[in-house]
Amino acid sequence: MESQRKIFVEKVGVRTEKMGYSPLAGRIIGALLLAEPPYMTFDSLCEYLNASKSSISTNLQFLMHDGSGMVEYFTLPGDRKRYFKISIDNWVKHIKEIPKEFQQSKDLLEEILSYRKSNMLDNEFSTNIEELLSFYEFMLEKLPTLIEEWEERRKKNN
Amino acid sequence: MESQRKIFVEKVGVRTEKMGYSPLAGRIIGALLLAEPPYMTFDSLCEYLNASKSSISTNLQFLMHDGSGMVEYFTLPGDRKRYFKISIDNWVKHIKEIPKEFQQSKDLLEEILSYRKSNMLDNEFSTNIEELLSFYEFMLEKLPTLIEEWEERRKKNN
DNA sequence: TTATTAGTTCTGTTAATAACGAACTAATCG
DNA sequence: CGATTAGTTCGTTATTAACAGAACTAATAA
């Protein structure tokens, strides 16, 4: 059913917006996830999403280069259209980078903590920050191993 | 050094904005993380951040209730000021809810996958989606245990 | 070599968010 | 009871982000 599909596209859009993307970027992801065959041309995206060429262009650029690389395209010989599709590989790569976010929070908290320790009387609050820090550290220690573990499983099952 | 502190406040602000908060909300977190003693009154926040009462009020409400609960306040007998401070406990609680985000992505992908399977010819792309899904599933299986493991360590070290 | 296609880039408009200020409320103090 | 304090709410303004439209570019095709 065609309307069911559009509902999915919007749902995916809303989810994707929570990753910090624009509404249209979200809908592009949605459209590509639900496309049959699983790719779309520039024009079909414009038409299907009722969006201007400029917006589609900008957002595709973002999704391919600046953002996560979740979208990529392939070409066919003797055809200058680009066929845009989801790159599941890059999607996975992107999720796997969550620890980097943790790392940045951790680094900043560490800086703050050392500032507090050398400039302030208070001790109890610093202890609390240390606890939070220990959580980040723990996660940063464990997550990479966990991800590797999944990679192993993945290889086996192929 | 007082200027060093303000730089930290802004840095924290930028980081916090990436969690989807407003710039001012970010700066409030920053100010409270660097405050000595580690709490501030409503007025001192206004003054220190050069922000209006209304903005401080709105953002404190958000940080206390709608958002993560990363800020809370305490009172003192015979003093009607509120003393706002970071709640490290709620901060940790908030981070621990990352799996919920994973869950929602996973659920949506599952819906899409079952839609694709029953309505579309294509098979290869669905297989790719399944791989992505398996990553979410794996993480959702492992993360809670990991978090528990940290809780155990935490109790021991106290 | 001109016309068409496929997309990009630039500029303007609209819509959404963030922040402000002034008026308000509820509590306390003199 | 005013007067003051501590914060909230509401209507407005300013900033930012999203999108559109038209002009542009690079490549192919006739």
Side-chain angles (χ1 to χ4, degrees), chain A:
Chain A
M1 240 156 240
E2 194 42 42
S3 65
Q4 170 76 347
R5 200 146 144 182
K6 295 235 172 186
I7 290 167
F8 270 134
V9 170
E10 293 305 313
K11 267 202 194 178
V12 173
V14 172
R15 268 270 88 223
T16 310
E17 272 188 74
K18 289 181 185 158
M19 301 169 62
Y21 298 168
S22 77
L24 185 56
R27 280 190 283 257
I28 290 174
I29 300 289
L32 294 179
L33 269 180
L34 287 152
E36 163 72 5
Y39 47 80
M40 290 176 84
T41 64
F42 189 92
D43 281 336
S44 63
L45 278 169
C46 288
E47 202 191 320
Y48 186 66
L49 299 175
N50 292 306
S52 67
K53 290 207 292 171
S54 59
S55 304
I56 294 290
S57 178
T58 309
N59 280 284
L60 281 175
Q61 291 304 329
F62 176 78
L63 289 169
M64 291 190 298
H65 309 301
D66 315 298
S68 51
M70 277 166 66
V71 172
E72 61 186 0
Y73 69 86
F74 62 91
T75 51
L76 295 173
D79 178 357
R80 53 188 154 135
K81 279 192 191 71
R82 290 172 191 174
Y83 295 86
F84 298 93
K85 62 184 280 267
I86 299 289
S87 165
I88 297 285
D89 273 8
N90 288 344
W91 189 324
V92 172
K93 265 181 206 149
H94 186 240
I95 310 174
K96 288 198 292 199
E97 279 176 2
I98 289 177
K100 284 188 186 166
E101 294 295 308
F102 274 61
Q103 185 69 47
Q104 287 181 29
S105 296
K106 195 205 115 194
D107 290 348
L108 184 53
L109 275 179
E110 254 166 9
E111 276 189 82
I112 289 173
L113 191 61
S114 93
Y115 174 83
R116 288 195 72 90
K117 284 195 168 172
S118 57
N119 292 281
M120 292 161 180
L121 305 168
D122 142 65
N123 215 342
E124 167 149 11
F125 186 54
S126 294
T127 309
N128 287 335
I129 295 179
E130 264 166 359
E131 198 183 340
L132 176 59
L133 212 46
S134 85
F135 182 74
Y136 281 117
E137 273 163 3
F138 181 76
M139 285 298 160
L140 279 166
E141 183 196 326
K142 298 290 184 175
L143 283 179
T145 325
L146 208 56
I147 290 169
E148 254 177 64
E149 201 185 314
W150 177 72
E151 295 285 12
E152 288 309 310
R153 270 204 204 180
R154 185 195 197 184
K155 276 173 199 157
K156 272 183 198 165
N157 295 1
N158 284 357

Side-chain angles (χ1 to χ4, degrees), chain B residues 24-132:
Chain B
L24 185 56
R27 281 188 283 256
I28 290 174
I29 301 287
L32 294 179
L33 269 180
L34 287 151
E36 163 71 5
Y39 48 81
M40 289 176 84
T41 65
F42 190 93
D43 281 336
S44 62
L45 279 168
C46 289
E47 201 191 318
Y48 186 67
L49 298 175
N50 291 305
S52 68
K53 289 207 294 170
S54 58
S55 304
I56 294 292
S57 177
T58 308
N59 280 284
L60 281 176
Q61 291 304 329
F62 175 78
L63 288 169
M64 292 190 299
H65 308 301
D66 315 297
S68 52
M70 276 166 66
V71 172
E72 61 186 1
Y73 69 85
F74 61 91
T75 51
L76 295 174
D79 178 358
R80 53 186 155 138
K81 279 193 193 71
R82 290 171 191 175
Y83 295 85
F84 298 93
K85 61 182 283 265
I86 298 289
S87 165
I88 297 286
D89 273 7
N90 288 345
W91 190 322
V92 172
K93 265 180 206 150
H94 186 240
I95 311 174
K96 288 198 293 199
E97 280 177 359
I98 290 178
K100 283 189 186 166
E101 294 294 309
F102 274 62
Q103 184 69 48
Q104 287 181 28
S105 295
K106 195 206 114 195
D107 290 348
L108 184 51
L109 276 178
E110 255 167 8
E111 276 190 82
I112 289 173
L113 192 61
S114 93
Y115 175 82
R116 288 195 71 90
K117 284 195 167 172
S118 55
N119 292 282
M120 292 162 179
L121 305 168
D122 143 65
N123 216 339
E124 167 147 13
F125 186 54
S126 294
T127 307
N128 288 336
I129 295 179
E130 263 166 0
E131 198 184 339
L132 175 59

Side-chain angles (χ1 to χ4, degrees), chain B residues 133-150:
Chain B
L133 211 46
S134 87
F135 182 74
Y136 281 117
E137 273 163 4
F138 181 77
M139 285 298 160
L140 278 166
E141 183 196 325
K142 298 290 185 176
L143 283 179
T145 324
L146 209 56
I147 290 169
E148 253 177 64
E149 201 184 314
W150 177 71

